[in-house]
Amino acid sequence: MNLQKSQQAFEEAKRYIPGGVDSPVRAFNSVGGTPPFIERGQGAYLFDIDGNRYIDYVQSWGPLIFGHCDKDIEEAIIDRVKKGVSFGAPTELETQLAKEIVSLFDSVDKIRFVNSGTEAVMSALRLARGYTAKDDIVKFAGCYHGHSDSLLVSAGSGAATFGTPSSPGVPADLTKHTLIAKYNDIESVKRCFKDSKNIAAVIIEPIAGNMGLVPADKEFLEELRKLCDENNTLLIFDEVMSGFRASLKGAQGIVDIKPDLVTFGKVIGGGMPVGAFGGKEEIMKWLSPEGPVYQAGTLSGNPVAMAAGIATINKLKTNPAIYVELSKKAKRLMEGFQAAADAEEIPFVTEVRGSMFGFFFSDKVVKNFDDALENDQKRFARFHKEMLKRGIYLACSPFETGFISTAISDDMIEETILAAYEVMREIA
Ligand code: HOZ
């Protein structure tokens, strides 16, 4: 595979942008080699500037559930762009998208749009603290909720990839309010409640997608709900990744547990920058201008992002059966990878939730961050590199998640599995 132009582009980018990227994981540091610089996407494929074609299992880290350049979403975006790209004033589009999401999520009476998952979570936490008049929060090791100060503690995703799950520049005065519990371990949460009577919220990815794909057990989430109720603490589900990905109703649609607040991103913008947080009326009315908790943004509810989101959610709502199809493909892909690993006696485990998939080079079922850290990262890096050479674009870290889009055909899945057989043989 020729990556000459990408190599040049990367060197050039490094002169002007730290590490050459605007989000660390994209630099491929954990898998080595040059990240292909992307020229365009079409359907299931990515094309880089050297002319290489890849089957894309990243799909912009989740948003592109209908693949690249889906005609309906593309038309909705182009149509809106012609009418003006930003007003900093209300449009009916915001209400339209809000209505769609509220109608699907029982836990959401009202919602506010922002520009990213980081912003959504940061704002939801401020609201939770304002509403409860408490300061502490509980987060789980390995969960990633964006890079705001309070949450960059024991964080997954890029932070875990680079072995810096906390960051310089985050004052200890702030992080002392963040208590860390162990995913899928209710006793660790009970200990937090014992240590602090000042817990405003427990925040969790109900399907963790940032330490690899690690779903929370239903019983664990039920216990969590109970503990929060007993302690007048809000339960926040971070569904930035799982919202509209795991099912039409996100992780909540699978486990049937209602959080007090939910954060969204990715799919609700159809690939445009977006985030949102929502919840019960009683809590949401604390938000400015209705209430005293301040939160704002010029590009919030941006019309182009709203139009893309509406087109995406409409397509999903009119065809909910696609989740069955996507999940079937994800399962087939993971069964294929598993069989390829088994054939070479390589320790390997997989997970699937809706259109999300994950795998670890490990011999134990991964239930939490400690388990995830035990995966063979060197072998992952070799696997990733060899798959890329064969035109298969997978997330470039074992602490991320893979995504199936409707554009990915059964034949592409089989092609990917064949490549996995070859690669497993090579890395055995
Ligand atoms: N680490 C982010 C997903 N969990 C992706 C960041 C990026 O777009 O590079």
Side-chain angles (χ1 to χ4, degrees):
M1 166 172 292
N2 179 9
L3 281 173
Q4 208 184 338
K5 285 188 182 161
S6 280
Q7 275 154 8
Q8 279 164 7
F10 196 32
E11 289 314 311
E12 171 102 3
K14 282 195 254 185
R15 290 180 55 201
Y16 301 103
I17 302 170
V21 289
D22 285 309
S23 188
V25 82
R26 296 179 199 174
F28 269 38
N29 286 7
S30 64
V31 288
T34 302
F37 272 52
I38 305 305
E39 202 246 328
R40 66 190 177 91
Q42 186 63 56
Y45 293 114
L46 279 180
F47 297 85
D48 70 17
I49 56 175
D50 286 284
N52 301 304
R53 189 185 79 174
Y54 309 89
I55 303 176
D56 181 9
Y57 289 101
V58 177
Q59 296 290 336
S60 185
W61 305 94
L64 307 180
I65 196 160
F66 293 105
H68 298 275
C69 302
D70 173 81
K71 278 282 156 263
D72 301 314
I73 299 164
E74 192 178 272
E75 260 171 37
I77 292 173
I78 292 170
D79 189 48
R80 268 325 299 180
V81 166
K82 287 182 180 162
K83 294 175 181 150
V85 294
S86 178
F87 310 116
T91 66
E92 289 177 311
L93 296 165
E94 291 151 77
T95 315
Q96 220 179 311
L97 185 54
K99 263 190 193 168
E100 296 289 2
I101 298 175
V102 167
S103 74
L104 284 168
F105 282 75
D106 295 344
S107 56
V108 180
D109 299 330
K110 280 194 174 163
I111 189 161
R112 173 155 292 171
F113 294 106
V114 292
N115 295 290
S116 68
T118 292
E119 209 186 322
V121 173
M122 181 184 87
S123 310
L125 278 184
R126 183 178 307 141
L127 178 58
R129 284 171 160 151
Y131 174 77
T132 58
K134 297 180 189 178
D135 292 336
D136 294 345
I137 55 165
V138 174
K139 88 171 272 291
F140 293 88
C143 281
Y144 181 74
H145 306 285
H147 61 91
S148 69
D149 286 348
S150 301
L151 292 159
L152 213 48
V153 186
S154 292
S157 190
T161 304
F162 295 106
T164 53
S166 303
S167 169
V170 178
D173 272 354
L174 262 180
T175 55
K176 75 178 183 208
H177 291 294
T178 305
L179 310 174
I180 303 297
K182 193 171 179 179
Y183 203 73
N184 276 323
D185 178 349
I186 202 65
E187 292 309 315
S188 70
V189 188
K190 286 183 184 162
R191 279 197 291 278
C192 293
F193 278 107
K194 230 169 149 190
D195 290 347
S196 168
K197 298 293 160 226
N198 194 25
I199 299 175
V202 173
I203 184 162
I204 185 166
E205 294 178 80
I207 296 174
N210 288 292
M211 50 173 145
L213 183 65
V214 184
D217 297 332
K218 185 168 161 41
E219 302 69 40
F220 170 70
L221 291 173
E222 281 165 353
E223 287 277 324
L224 209 53
R225 177 68 276 179
K226 223 169 95 202
L227 267 182
C228 287
D229 289 342
E230 285 165 5
N231 290 279
N232 290 322
T233 292
L234 300 188
L235 176 61
I236 305 177
F237 275 4
D238 181 340
E239 296 237 39
V240 167
M241 252 189 191
S242 54
F244 297 95
R245 262 293 176 184
S247 83
L248 189 58
K249 293 169 189 265
Q252 291 163 63
I254 297 175
V255 293
D256 196 25
I257 292 164
K258 273 200 221 168
D260 300 298
L261 288 172
V262 194
T263 58
F264 297 101
K266 317 263 183 193
V267 174
I268 66 160
M272 299 295 295
V274 86
F277 61 105
K280 293 176 183 164
E281 159 81 33
E282 173 200 337
I283 305 168
M284 292 301 284
K285 74 178 182 201
W286 274 68
L287 207 55
S288 182
E290 217 174 318
V293 176
Y294 195 71
Q295 184 277 330
T298 297
L299 290 165
S300 295
N302 175 267
V304 185
M306 295 297 102
I310 293 163
T312 308
I313 307 293
N314 274 340
K315 268 176 90 104
L316 290 169
K317 270 176 94 168
T318 49
N319 192 8
I322 70 153
Y323 286 98
V324 179
E325 184 201 322
L326 292 172
S327 178
K328 227 167 92 187
K329 284 181 183 158
K331 280 184 184 144
R332 171 69 196 127
L333 183 70
M334 287 301 93
E335 278 164 15
F337 277 22
Q338 185 73 62
D342 290 350
E344 303 302 328
E345 295 180 10
I346 294 174
F348 196 75
V349 288
T350 69
E351 193 61 79
V352 170
R353 281 296 181 280
S355 60
M356 305 163 78
F357 68 85
F359 57 89
F360 288 105
F361 286 93
S362 173
D363 55 6
K364 78 197 269 194
V365 178
V366 175
K367 299 298 265 181
N368 55 51
F369 194 37
D370 289 341
D371 295 343
L373 287 172
E374 281 182 35
N375 85 91
D376 185 342
Q377 295 190 48
K378 284 203 178 107
R379 196 172 243 160
F380 174 88
R382 289 172 64 206
F383 181 74
H384 181 273
K385 197 173 179 175
E386 290 302 322
M387 290 296 275
L388 193 73
K389 275 192 202 157
R390 288 162 176 81
I392 311 296
Y393 192 87
L394 294 164
C396 53
S397 160
F399 303 114
E400 299 286 354
T401 291
F403 298 95
I404 303 286
S405 75
T406 56
I408 292 176
S409 68
D410 290 333
D411 284 350
M412 291 175 196
I413 301 270
E414 294 311 316
E415 182 186 332
T416 309
I417 293 171
L418 275 183
Y421 268 93
E422 271 180 36
V423 173
M424 293 290 187
R425 215 168 298 137
E426 216 160 291
I427 66 173

